[in-house]
Amino acid sequence: MKKVAIVGIGHGKFGVRSDASLRELIFEAVKACLDDAGLSLKEVDSMVTGVAGDEFSFGIQPSAQVHDYIGFHPRANFRVEGACATGSVALRTGWMTIASGLADLVLVAGVEKMTEVPTSMATEIMGRAGDATWEYPFGTTFPGYYAMIANAHMAEHGTTEEQLARVAVKNHYYGSLNPYAQMQKEITLDKAMTSFTVAYPLKLYDCSLITDGAAAILLASEERAKAISKKPVWIAGLGCGTDSMRLGDRKSLTSLQATREAAKTAYKMAGVGPSDIDVATVHDCFTIAEVIAYEDLGFCEKGEGGKLIEAKETYVGGRIPVNVDGGLKSKGHPLGATGVSMAIEISKQLREEAGPRQVKDAEIGLTHNVGGSGQLSLIHIFRRE
Amino acid sequence: MEFKNFSLFINQTKVGRFADELAGGKIMSTLCKKCGKQYYPPQADCPSCMGSDMEWKEIKAEGKLLTFTKIHVPPEHFAVRQPLMPFSSVQFEPCPVGIIEVEKGLPVMGWIPKMDVKKIKVGMRMKASPLTLPDGKITIVLEAI
Ligand SMILES: [Zn+2]
C-alpha cells in the first residue's frame, strides 16, 4: 500500500464567527495550510471538502462554495459527510485518493458555520443525529442521547458527575492555552458542577459548543511528502466502525461498539497497541464521551474511565495525554472541521510545535472522531519518522 | 390515522399501521414469518434473512429500564408552543424519557411523565402504554410497576 503523509496544516480561529461566511472561513484555513506546506494551490491535484449540515450551509453541494471561493476549479472536489465525524471522513477519503494512485497531492478541508441559525434550530438539527422516526418523537436531543449513555455508565460502573466535570476542567485548561480555541478560559470544578442541567445528568459544562470554524490539511504521497516537508506526519493506521441507529438497539449502552471496531482495525494496521500511543485527541462532544473513549480505545479498563481522569492521567505528563488542545469541549466543535482539527493537533504534537501544550517526545498520536450518537466512528493513527 | 401523528416528520412508510394500532391501544412489533426474528420498532423487511414477509404481533410491554434522561433544553418541536407544531400542547414537559427492554431484548422508548428524574433508577421495572394527546397526536408513556 502507498504511504500517505500530512505535509501542511492550517487552522482557522474557532468561535462565534459572525464576521465571516462559510467560504470565508475555509479560505483562512486553506491559506494557512498552503503557507505551512510552502506550496501554491496550483500544485494541488485534488480536493475533498467536509461539511456536515445542509441546514448550516444554506444549500446542497457546499463543496462548490468552497472550491469556487478559493479558486480550485476545474479540478476534482466533492463534499463528504458523516455528521460530527465528517472531518475524519474527509481525511479518510483524501488518504484513499492518494493510496489508490488517483492523485499525489490532496487538500482536505473541513468547515461548518453553525451560529447563523438560531440555537433552538441547531439543537433540533443535531437532535436528528439519532433516529428521526423512532427517537425524535420523544423529544430527544444530542445531549439527551449522551445523557442516557451517562446514566447507564453511572449505574453500571459507579462513574460520578464529579468525574465527568473533571474532564471539562481539564479541557478548559488546555483550551485556555490554545489560541484557536473558542473558550480560552479555565473553569473550576465548582463552576462545572453547579452549571444548569441540559439533559440530566449532563450540565452546561459537560457539553461541547456550537461553533463556526474551518481547518485544512494537505496530504501527499511518499515521494512528494519527502520532497515537500522536513517533518511529514505519516498516516499509519485507519479504522472505521459503525453501530445501530438507535441507542436501544446497541449491545452495550456504556461503550461505543463503532469505536471498538475502528480501534481494532486502526491498531492492527499501524502495528501498535493502546500503550504505544503518546498523545490522543478523542471525541469529547460530551464529557461522558471522553470517559467512554478512554475505555473503548484501551487507555484503561472498561469502567475505569472516571478514575483515569480523577488521577489526572490524561493531562500532559500523565500516562496518556488526551485532548490537550482543549477538545470539542473548549476548542469548539464545528462539525465538518473537527476531525481535520484533531489531525492538525496531532501533527503539531508530532512536529513538536504544540508550545505550552507539547507532550514530550511524542512519536505516535491518535485521533478519534464519532458521528451522531455513535453510529459511526473513525480512528486515525499517525507517526513521525 | 396518519403515521405522522406519531413520528412528527415522516408519513410515508410500509409500517404505517403501527400508528393505527397505537391509537387503538396496542404497541405492535413485526415478526418475520420465514426466520422468526421480531422487530420493535416494527420493520417491513428482515435483514436477518432478507425476507419481507412479516406479520404484526402485539408486544407485552413490560420490562426493565435500560436508561433514561430528562431533557431540559428541548428541540424546536417541543420548545415552541405554536398551534401548528405537533406536540406543542404537550403538558408534561420537560418530562423524563427512558428506554425499557421488553420480551427478548426489544427496546421500547417512552415518556416518563409521573416520576421525579432523581427517583428513576436504571433496572427498575416499568410498563409501556400508548397515550393519545388532546391534539390527537399519539405517543408512548412508561410507568413504574
Ligand atoms: Zn427473517
Side-chain angles (χ1 to χ4, degrees):
Chain A
M1 199 147 356
K2 282 190 162 192
K3 282 179 77 180
V4 178
I6 297 175
V7 297
I9 55 176
H11 205 295
K13 169 71 181 163
F14 282 8
V16 179
R17 292 292 308 273
S18 40
D19 63 307
S21 67
L22 183 147
R23 60 191 79 178
E24 291 157 359
L25 289 173
I26 201 72
F27 189 93
E28 292 173 12
V30 168
K31 181 174 171 23
C33 177
L34 293 168
D35 286 350
D36 180 66
L39 290 176
S40 82
L41 195 62
K42 285 195 204 80
E43 295 168 84
V44 177
D45 301 319
S46 191
M47 186 174 173
V48 183
T49 300
V51 180
D54 296 333
E55 294 94 338
F56 293 126
S57 61
F58 297 104
I60 57 169
Q61 207 191 159
S63 54
Q65 294 181 37
V66 170
H67 69 233
D68 173 77
Y69 196 73
I70 66 168
F72 191 72
H73 44 291
R75 286 159 287 176
N77 177 42
F78 52 83
R79 174 256 195 118
V80 294
E81 187 271 333
C84 322
T86 293
S88 289
V89 174
L91 198 164
R92 188 178 165 97
T93 310
W95 180 89
M96 290 192 279
T97 309
I98 294 173
S100 64
L102 271 179
D104 285 314
L105 260 186
V106 176
L107 181 65
V108 175
V111 60
E112 211 76 39
K113 173 73 190 166
M114 300 175 73
T115 71
E116 196 141 354
V117 304
T119 304
S120 63
M121 193 196 280
T123 304
E124 175 156 338
I125 293 166
M126 304 285 289
R128 292 185 219 148
D131 189 330
T133 307
W134 296 102
E135 289 178 322
Y136 184 74
F138 298 97
T140 48
T141 59
F142 198 34
Y145 295 120
Y146 276 94
M148 286 193 270
I149 290 171
N151 278 322
H153 202 269
M154 288 169 157
E156 194 172 317
H157 299 298
T159 305
T160 65
E161 291 180 44
E162 187 181 309
Q163 287 170 336
L164 299 185
R166 285 183 188 281
V167 172
V169 170
K170 170 179 71 73
N171 293 356
H172 273 272
Y173 167 67
Y174 287 114
S176 75
L177 302 174
N178 183 351
Y180 297 99
Q182 181 168 0
M183 297 275 282
Q184 292 177 57
K185 95 180 168 219
E186 288 188 59
I187 56 161
T188 61
L189 187 62
D190 185 57
K191 183 164 187 176
M193 288 294 286
T194 54
S195 59
F196 71 87
T197 302
V198 173
Y200 180 83
L202 300 181
K203 295 172 270 300
L204 179 67
Y205 283 99
D206 288 304
C207 305
S208 58
L209 309 163
I210 292 177
T211 310
D212 304 322
I217 55 176
L218 190 64
L219 300 181
S221 59
E222 184 170 13
E223 198 176 288
R224 296 297 303 276
K226 285 176 173 163
I228 293 166
S229 176
K230 284 194 193 75
K231 290 178 183 173
V233 172
W234 301 97
I235 301 172
L238 300 93
C240 181
T242 55
D243 203 351
S244 70
M245 191 77 181
R246 291 175 298 276
L247 283 190
D249 290 333
R250 306 264 169 94
K251 261 188 224 137
S252 164
L253 274 174
T254 57
S255 166
L256 296 187
Q257 206 53 47
T259 292
R260 290 187 171 250
E261 179 69 21
K264 201 168 66 186
T265 316
Y267 283 137
K268 189 176 171 211
M269 183 176 169
V272 300
S275 61
D276 298 311
I277 305 300
D278 297 310
V279 58
T281 54
V282 310
H283 198 84
D284 62 325
C285 50
F286 299 93
T287 50
I288 182 64
E290 178 164 325
V291 167
I292 287 179
Y294 298 159
E295 300 171 6
D296 289 339
L297 294 169
F299 297 158
C300 66
E301 294 296 313
K302 179 89 194 89
E304 301 290 313
K307 291 187 185 113
L308 193 72
I309 179 66
E310 203 164 69
K312 293 198 163 189
E313 294 285 11
T314 50
Y315 278 76
V316 172
R319 200 163 84 219
I320 169 73
V322 174
N323 289 338
V324 298
D325 60 348
L328 283 56
K329 176 75 242 347
S330 144
K331 184 182 62 184
H333 183 23
L335 310 178
T338 286
V340 181
S341 168
M342 287 174 160
I344 289 177
E345 172 63 13
I346 295 302
S347 298
K348 283 183 186 168
Q349 291 286 348
L350 301 190
R351 283 160 47 162
E352 298 197 308
E353 293 169 2
R357 301 178 287 102
Q358 182 64 46
V359 174
K360 199 165 172 281
D361 300 327
E363 287 182 8
I364 302 175
L366 177 149
T367 63
H368 162 250
N369 200 185
V370 177
S373 59
Q375 294 90 354
L376 171 67
S377 182
L378 286 96
I379 291 171
H380 293 113
I381 295 173
F382 303 88
R383 310 186 79 121
R384 69 181 194 196
E385 263 174 315
Chain B
M1 173 65 66
E2 293 203 309
F3 185 68
K4 215 172 178 172
N5 283 326
F6 168 78
S7 77
L8 306 185
F9 284 116
I10 289 152
N11 211 31
Q12 301 175 351
T13 169
K14 292 179 180 176
V15 295
R17 180 174 155 187
F18 174 79
D20 295 319
E21 297 277 7
L22 200 62
K26 289 179 182 171
I27 301 176
M28 300 293 275
S29 64
T30 53
L31 197 64
C32 174
K33 284 188 188 169
K34 192 171 158 199
C35 77
K37 193 161 164 61
Q38 191 178 3
Y39 292 92
Y40 184 87
Q43 293 202 179
D45 308 289
C46 176
S48 224
C49 70
M50 297 309 278
S52 298
D53 193 8
M54 314 291 279
E55 62 187 353
W56 288 90
K57 184 172 184 285
E58 186 178 0
I59 56 170
K60 191 175 180 303
E62 287 182 18
K64 68 177 186 6
L65 184 69
L66 292 174
T67 190
F68 66 98
T69 182
K70 179 180 178 182
I71 293 160
H72 292 258
V73 182
E76 209 160 64
H77 266 103
F78 300 85
V80 190
R81 284 177 190 271
Q82 291 173 10
L84 294 176
M85 284 283 190
F87 281 32
S88 65
S89 64
V90 172
Q91 294 303 306
F92 44 72
E93 56 171 320
C95 166
V97 291
I99 305 169
I100 61 170
E101 184 176 38
V102 307
E103 300 205 356
K104 288 180 197 120
L106 301 177
V108 177
M109 197 166 200
W111 302 95
I112 313 175
K114 291 181 186 160
M115 280 189 84
D116 175 354
V117 72
K118 301 217 163 149
K119 298 219 169 85
I120 302 173
K121 299 278 177 255
V122 169
M124 68 194 299
R125 284 196 63 79
M126 303 190 94
K127 75 164 189 192
S129 349
L131 176 73
T132 302
L133 298 161
D135 61 0
K137 301 287 188 289
I138 42 171
T139 188
I140 296 169
V141 292
L142 306 177
E143 59 189 322
I145 46 172

